[in-house]
C-alpha cells in the first residue's frame, strides 16, 4: 500500500508529525511516554508529502488530504480490516477529525444499512428485504456476509437465474442475502462519485451523488442506481478501482488531490 | 405494553443450552410485563416497531447482526449490543487500541501490517516478547484464528494465513494460566463473574483437539470470592469500550491481572449465571430504562 499525505499549503504538516512507527510494543510506549496511546502505536506505511499536480493513482495507493483541521482519506477500498480502514481508525483514535469515519464506511458497504441510512437522510432508495432463500422476481440481490462486497450483485429475472445466484452469494445457503425488487422496465445504472461530483451525469444523478457524499463523506465511491421512469433510487455503494476511472473522472480526482478543486 | 425484540439467527444457534437461555430470557421479560418477539434475519424490518432490542447471535460488522444493531440505533431504539460496541469488540486491533488508550492492563501487544512481515521484525518480536507468541486475526471469536507459535517458521506459517483475512494482525506476549476469569459487566457495573477452565490439551477456551471440539469448563463464582482487583479491572476494561453488556476475559497470573479480551454479546447459557439468577432481569430493565 502506498500512502501519500497531501497538505493544503496554509496548513502544511511535516511528514515528521507521523513518522513511520518503529516496532514498538504497547509496554514500551507506556514506559517511554507515560501515555499509552500518545505514540506511534498504530503502524503506518511511510508517508510522503506530495506536491505534484498529478499524483500517481496506482493500485492500492492511499492519499490523505488535509483541509483545515479535517483529514480526507482517498482510497480504492474502505472495507473492514483493510489498510485504509485502519488508517481511518488511527486518526479517530488520535482524536483527529477524519472523513470518512470508520462507522460511515461500515454503513456504506453493508447494503441494507446503507439504504436505511440513506432513506433517513432523504435519499430515494430501493425497497429491500432480507431472505435466506427466496426472492421476489425480478430483483437485484447482494450477499450479506463477511466475504460479500457490494460490487458483486446479481440481477435475477426468473427462478433458474435466482436459484443459481442465491446459491453463489449465500455460499450454498450458509448466509442470508439482501434483495431489492425491480419494477417492470427498471434498469440498473452505476456511476462514480468523486467528492460528491460526477463526470457527465444528468442533474438527477449529480444531485444524488452530492447527497450521498454529504451523508457518507466517502471521496471515491461507485453508486448503483435503479432507474424506473425518470426516477433514480439508490441500490448500493461500492468501492472504485483507480483503473476504472475514465479520463474526466481521473482529471477530477487529480484536481482534488492537487488542491485545484476545493472541498 | 412494551415490546422487546430478541434478535436470533438460527444459523449461529449451536446447542440446546443457547435455545434454553433464549426461552428463559423471553420468560423473564414476559414476567416483567413486556411483549417479546423473536426476530430472525428475515424479520429485520420489524425492528423499528420494537421498544428495545436484545441481540443474541454472533456479532460482526459484516453480518446481519450489525444490520439489526444499526437498524435499532438509527431508529432510536435501545439495543444490546449497540453497533459501536460490535465495531470495537469484533476487531481486536480496535479493541486493544481502546484498552491501551485507557491504560488497561493487557499483555504486551503489537499490531503488524502485511508490509511489516519481515524476518527482521519477527525476530525482534521474539527477542522483545519472548517465546511462545500469540497471533490473532482481528475478527476472531471463540478462539478461532488464535494460534500459539514458538519460532519464526511457525510465525510466518500462521501470519500468512491470517493476513489473507485482514491487512493487520495482532501479536501478543503469551501469558499462561489454568483458567480465565470472565467478568460480566452491564452499564459499568458487575453483572456476573465466572471461571473458564482451560482444557488441559489446549490454551484456548474452545479448540479442536484431534478433530473434536473441546470446551472450557464454566464455574459461576459469587462476587465475594472474586479477587477485587479482577472485578475492578473487568469494569474498567468494559468502560473503555462503552456502556453496554460485555464479558471481559482476564488472566490473573501471580497477582498480575491482564485483560485478554472484551467480548460483546457474551455467552450467558453455560452456567455463567448460576450465582446470578437475575441477569436477564437486569438486562431487560437496563434496556427499558435507557
Amino acid at each position: 500500500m502506498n500512502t501519500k499525505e497531501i497538505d493544503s499549503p496554509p496548513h502544511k504538516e511535516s511528514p515528521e508529525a507521523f513518522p513511520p512507527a518503529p516496532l514498538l510494543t504497547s509496554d514500551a510506549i507506556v514506559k517511554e511516554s507515560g501515555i499509552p496511546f500518545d505514540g506511534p502505536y498504530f503502524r503506518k506505511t511511510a508517508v510522503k508529502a506530495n506536491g505534484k499536480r498529478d499524483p500517481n493513482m496506482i493500485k492500492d495507493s492511499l492519499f490523505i488530504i488535509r483541509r483545515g483541521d479535517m483529514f480526507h482519506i482517498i482510497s480504492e477500498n474502505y472495507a473492514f480490516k483493510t489498510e485504509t480502514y485502519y488508517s481511518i481508525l488511527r486518526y479517530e483514535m488520535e482524536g483527529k477529525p477524519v472523513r470518512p469515519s470508520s462507522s460511515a464506511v461500515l454503513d456504506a458497504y453493508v447494503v441494507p444499512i446503507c439504504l436505511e441510512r440513506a432513506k433517513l437522510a432523504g435519499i430515494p432508495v430501493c425497497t429491500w428485504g432480507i431472505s435466506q432463500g427466496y426472492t421476489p422476481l425480478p430483483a437485484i440481490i447482494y450477499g450479506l456476509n463477511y466475504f460479500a462486497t457490494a460490487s458483486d450483485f446479481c440481477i435475477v429475472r426468473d427462478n433458474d437465474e435466482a436459484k443459481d445466484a442465491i446459491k453463489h452469494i449465500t455460499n450454498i445457503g450458509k448466509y442470508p442475502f439482501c434483495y431489492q425488487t425491480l419494477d417492470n422496465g427498471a434498469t440498473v445504472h452505476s456511476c462514480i462519485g468523486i467528492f460528491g461530483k460526477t463526470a457527465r451525469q444528468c442533474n438527477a444523478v449529480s444531485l444524488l451523488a452530492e447527497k450521498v457524499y454529504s451523508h457518507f463523506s466517502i471521496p471515491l465511491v461507485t453508486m448503483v442506481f435503479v432507474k424506473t421512469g425518470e426516477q433514480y433510487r439508490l441500490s448500493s455503494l461500492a468501492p472504485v478501482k483507480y483503473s476504472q476511472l475514465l479520463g474526466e473522472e481521473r482529471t477530477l480526482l487529480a484536481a482534488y488531490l492537487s488542491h485545484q478543486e476545493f472541498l | 405494553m412494551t415490546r422487546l425484540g430478541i434478535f436470533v439467527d438460527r444459523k449461529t444457534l449451536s446447542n440446546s443450552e443457547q435455545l434454553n437461555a433464549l426461552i428463559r430470557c423471553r420468560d423473564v421479560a414476559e414476567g416483567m410485563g413486556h411483549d417479546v418477539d423473536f426476530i430472525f434475519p428475515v424479520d429485520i424490518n420489524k425492528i423499528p416497531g420494537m421498544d428495545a432490542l436484545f441481540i443474541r447471535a454472533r456479532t460482526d460488522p459484516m453480518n446481519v447482526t450489525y444490520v439489526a444493531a444499526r437498524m435499532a440505533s438509527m431508529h432510536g431504539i435501545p439495543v444490546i449490543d449497540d453497533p459501536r460496541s460490535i465495531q470495537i469488540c469484533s476487531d481486536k486491533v480496535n479493541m486493544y487500541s481502546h484498552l491501551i488508550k485507557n491504560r488497561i492492563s493487557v499483555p504486551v501487544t503489537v499490531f503488524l501490517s502485511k508490509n511489516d512481515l519481515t524476518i527482521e521484525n519477527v525476530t525482534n518480536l521474539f527477542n522483545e516478547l519472548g517465546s511462545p507468541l500469540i497471533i490473532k486475526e482481528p475478527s476472531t471469536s471463540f478462539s478461532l484464528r488464535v494460534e500459539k507459535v514458538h519460532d519464526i517458521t511457525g510465525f510466518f506459517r500462521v501470519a500468512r494465513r491470517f493476513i489473507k483475512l485482514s491487512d493487520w494482525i495482532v501479536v501478543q506476549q503469551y501469558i499462561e494460566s489454568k483458567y480465565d476469569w470472565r467478568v460480566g459487566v452491564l452499564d459499568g457495573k458487575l453483572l456476573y463473574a465466572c471461571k473458564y477452565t482451560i482444557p488441559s490439551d489446549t490454551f484456548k477456551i474452545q479448540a479442536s483437539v484431534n478433530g473434536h471440539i473441546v470446551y472450557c469448563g464454566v464455574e459461576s463464582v459469587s462476587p465475594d470470592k472474586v479477587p477485587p482487583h479482577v472485578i475492578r479491572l473487568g469494569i474498567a476494561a468494559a468502560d473503555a469500550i462503552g456502556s453496554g453488556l460485555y464479558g471481559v476475559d482476564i488472566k490473573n497470573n501471580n497477582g498480575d491481572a491482564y485483560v485478554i479480551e472484551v467480548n460483546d454479546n457474551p455467552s450467558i447459557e453455560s452456567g455463567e449465571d448460576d450465582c446470578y439468577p437475575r441477569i436477564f432481569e437486569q438486562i431487560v430493565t437496563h434496556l427499558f430504562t435507557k
Side-chain angles (χ1 to χ4, degrees), chain B residues 129-178:
Chain B
L129 275 59
S131 178
L133 292 174
I134 300 296
I135 310 181
K136 297 178 177 177
E137 193 278 312
S139 55
T140 172
S141 60
F142 296 102
S143 299
L144 292 168
R145 301 191 297 280
V146 174
E147 299 282 344
K148 185 162 64 174
V149 293
H150 294 83
D151 54 36
I152 292 175
T153 308
F155 189 103
F156 276 98
R157 183 175 43 79
V158 173
R160 283 186 183 130
R161 185 154 51 88
F162 289 174
I163 215 81
K164 289 178 186 163
L165 298 169
S166 169
D167 282 354
W168 288 22
I169 57 172
V170 176
V171 183
Q172 281 188 322
Q173 168 195 28
Y174 174 63
I175 293 178
E176 190 164 9
S177 67
K178 289 193 169 55

Side-chain angles (χ1 to χ4, degrees), chain A residues 92-145:
Chain A
E92 290 177 340
M93 292 303 299
E94 290 175 352
K96 293 178 176 159
V98 61
R99 284 184 185 160
S101 67
S102 59
S103 60
V105 297
L106 291 181
D107 284 358
Y109 285 174
V110 181
V111 175
I113 302 176
C114 170
L115 296 192
E116 193 68 12
R117 185 166 164 174
K119 186 175 86 176
L120 293 172
I123 297 168
V125 300
C126 294
T127 306
W128 60 272
I130 289 175
S131 174
Q132 302 276 8
Y134 160 82
T135 178
L137 295 169
I140 179 168
I141 60 176
Y142 293 88
L144 191 53
N145 62 70

Side-chain angles (χ1 to χ4, degrees), chain A residues 63-189:
Chain A
F63 300 93
I64 302 166
I65 302 178
R66 184 177 180 180
R67 295 289 166 87
D69 289 334
M70 184 63 70
F71 292 89
H72 299 266
I73 295 191
I74 300 109
S75 170
E76 293 181 301
N77 188 1
Y78 296 84
F80 184 49
K81 297 192 298 176
T82 56
E83 192 75 41
T84 307
Y85 178 82
Y86 286 130
S87 295
I88 294 169
L89 212 53
R90 169 179 166 270
Y91 277 81
E92 290 177 340
M93 292 303 299
E94 290 175 352
K96 293 178 176 159
V98 61
R99 284 184 185 160
S101 67
S102 59
S103 60
V105 297
L106 291 181
D107 284 358
Y109 285 174
V110 181
V111 175
I113 302 176
C114 170
L115 296 192
E116 193 68 12
R117 185 166 164 174
K119 186 175 86 176
L120 293 172
I123 297 168
V125 300
C126 294
T127 306
W128 60 272
I130 289 175
S131 174
Q132 302 276 8
Y134 160 82
T135 178
L137 295 169
I140 179 168
I141 60 176
Y142 293 88
L144 191 53
N145 62 70
Y146 192 80
F147 305 99
T149 158
S151 304
D152 278 335
F153 59 81
C154 301
I155 298 168
V156 292
R157 299 181 191 282
D158 60 48
N159 282 326
D160 287 341
E161 268 184 354
K163 196 175 161 190
D164 288 344
I166 291 167
K167 197 173 165 185
H168 169 65
I169 64 168
T170 62
N171 194 6
I172 320 175
K174 197 172 173 190
Y175 305 107
F177 64 95
C178 173
Y179 63 84
Q180 300 163 12
T181 47
L182 296 170
D183 294 331
N184 281 337
T187 50
V188 178
H189 302 260

Side-chain angles (χ1 to χ4, degrees), chain A residues 23-27 34 36 41-43 81-83 85-86 93 102 106-107 113 116 130 145-146 173, chain B residues 11 42 62 66 70 75 87 91 97 100-101 103 108-111 116 121 129 137 139 165 167-168:
Chain A
L23 193 69
L24 280 180
T25 65
S26 54
D27 253 15
Y41 185 59
F42 274 89
R43 293 191 54 78
K81 297 192 298 176
T82 56
E83 192 75 41
Y85 178 82
Y86 286 130
M93 292 303 299
S102 59
L106 291 181
D107 284 358
I113 302 176
E116 193 68 12
I130 289 175
N145 62 70
Y146 192 80
Chain B
K11 305 270 181 184
V42 295
M62 300 303 290
Y66 193 67
R70 283 296 283 132
H75 290 274
Q87 185 190 352
D91 173 5
S97 297
I100 291 163
K101 187 178 179 183
R103 299 166 183 261
V108 180
T109 301
V110 172
F111 304 143
D116 298 324
N121 281 342
L129 275 59
E137 193 278 312
S139 55
L165 298 169
D167 282 354
W168 288 22

